[in-house]
Amino acid sequence: MALAGASLISGLNAALLRLGVWAPVVSDRVADLHGPVMVLGFMGTLISLERAQAMRNPLAYLAPALLGLGSLALLAGAPVALGKLLLFDGAVAWVVLALALWVRAPLGLVAAQALSATFAALAAGLWLVADFPAVVTLLAAFLVLTIASERAELAQLTMGPRAVPTLLALASVLALGAALSTVLPAVGDRVFGLGCVLTAAWLLRDDVGRRMIRTSGLRRFNAAALLTGNFWLAVSGVIWLIVGRPTSAGAYDAVIHGVFLGFGMAMIMAHAPIIFPAVLGRPLPYRAAMWGPLALLNLGLVVRIGGGLSQATVVYQVGGTITVLAVLLFAVTVVVAVVRG
């Protein structure tokens, strides 16, 4: 967990550098590594750690350890090739872990989770020989499949018997699009965008968000995070569907941060009070203060994407800074809630 936290803080610093605003640590190298550090270093370490907990085997922790170490190696000034190799090794170890979980429980849900880990490994492997933009769709496939599988698992009672077949059908579309994106980017990204739109529509229709938003407390917060996350996934999917592989800076920024920040981070916020206790070994009670980071995240994304698409640099920077503050504030809120119990 400490490795994931270090990757998060470093990734946020890199985000500020990429925005062209003040950051605590100034480094061109760190700025260039923002994407891999946040997706594989932070999200990959965090999610694989949760899977390792489910396996209950000491060897299972090799995956999050390697992913975290790879991220830190990149940030600490070690040879870039070493950091990339550690991330790749960690992703491969994650695939082995996912397959072991599937052997133990050969279910469609677990198969979808194994597929998501496979795309993380494919992305890390391709990044050894290609620039980061070439692996973005593969990483997005990893994240979307992971979260969709998680939602189908957590809400399968309310989603009904169609949940797993629908998940597997959508996984096929997403996997096809991600695979095609490596050889036919214009076609593959559009297919993947279609998969994102369909996945968002499915989760908006069948997941618990629309029903729980009328409740209160943790359930309402969880619902709000789910609904906003699905909205941003749909936004990214529509852009991919229309333009294919984004060529303008504004469109590229919109799809990247719509998926990884709007969808991914919102889902982490939604799942934190549910999943983190198993990872941390300590309770994470819901706090009303959690609404603040969620609201800031969505406000920042609206401002950031609007500024990026309209080429308003200052607006873009303000929006981006707000999203960084939102993620940092949520991390602080979680730490305080855990410490106070």
Side-chain angles (χ1 to χ4, degrees), residues 238-260:
V238 168
I239 295 174
W240 260 317
L241 192 57
I242 293 173
V243 306
R245 179 65 53 91
T247 54
S248 70
Y252 178 79
D253 188 81
V255 295
I256 295 302
H257 292 93
V259 168
F260 295 113

Side-chain angles (χ1 to χ4, degrees), residues 86-321:
L86 285 170
L87 287 176
F88 176 63
D89 290 343
V92 171
W94 188 358
V95 173
V96 174
L97 166 61
L99 290 175
L101 288 169
W102 181 80
V103 169
R104 192 173 71 178
L107 304 172
L109 275 172
V110 186
Q113 292 168 358
L115 181 61
S116 71
T118 301
F119 275 108
L122 289 173
L126 183 58
W127 192 42
L128 292 171
V129 296
D131 293 333
F132 182 71
V135 307
V136 163
T137 309
L138 295 175
L139 284 176
F142 142 66
L143 186 65
V144 175
L145 283 169
T146 296
I147 293 173
S149 302
E150 193 80 28
R151 291 312 310 156
E153 181 178 10
L154 291 173
Q156 56 185 315
L157 292 178
T158 55
M159 284 185 167
R162 298 178 303 175
V164 174
T166 303
L167 170 66
L168 294 177
L170 291 170
S172 299
V173 177
L174 291 165
L176 175 62
L180 283 174
S181 73
T182 62
V183 290
L184 296 171
V187 176
D189 281 10
R190 284 188 170 89
V191 174
F192 185 76
L194 174 62
C196 288
V197 171
L198 293 175
T199 301
W202 168 55
L203 292 175
L204 284 168
R205 185 193 68 183
D206 290 355
D207 205 353
V208 297
R210 289 188 300 116
R211 291 179 287 277
M212 292 202 313
I213 197 66
R214 301 183 183 91
T215 60
S216 60
L218 172 60
R219 290 165 64 86
R220 189 170 193 173
F221 170 77
N222 184 270
L226 293 176
L227 292 173
T228 56
N230 291 327
F231 167 77
W232 288 114
L233 177 62
V235 168
S236 295
V238 168
I239 295 174
W240 260 317
L241 192 57
I242 293 173
V243 306
R245 179 65 53 91
T247 54
S248 70
Y252 178 79
D253 188 81
V255 295
I256 295 302
H257 292 93
V259 168
F260 295 113
L261 195 56
F263 180 62
M265 193 57 67
M267 291 299 177
I268 288 175
M269 291 181 178
H271 292 146
I274 303 167
I275 301 298
F276 277 25
V279 175
L280 296 171
R282 298 190 59 174
L284 173 56
Y286 162 75
R287 294 285 185 264
M290 292 177 178
W291 281 95
L294 179 62
L296 280 177
L297 178 69
N298 285 282
L299 172 63
L301 276 169
V302 170
V303 175
R304 174 183 187 139
I305 291 176
L309 292 175
S310 63
Q311 299 182 351
T313 302
V314 174
V315 175
Y316 164 77
Q317 290 175 325
V318 169
T321 303

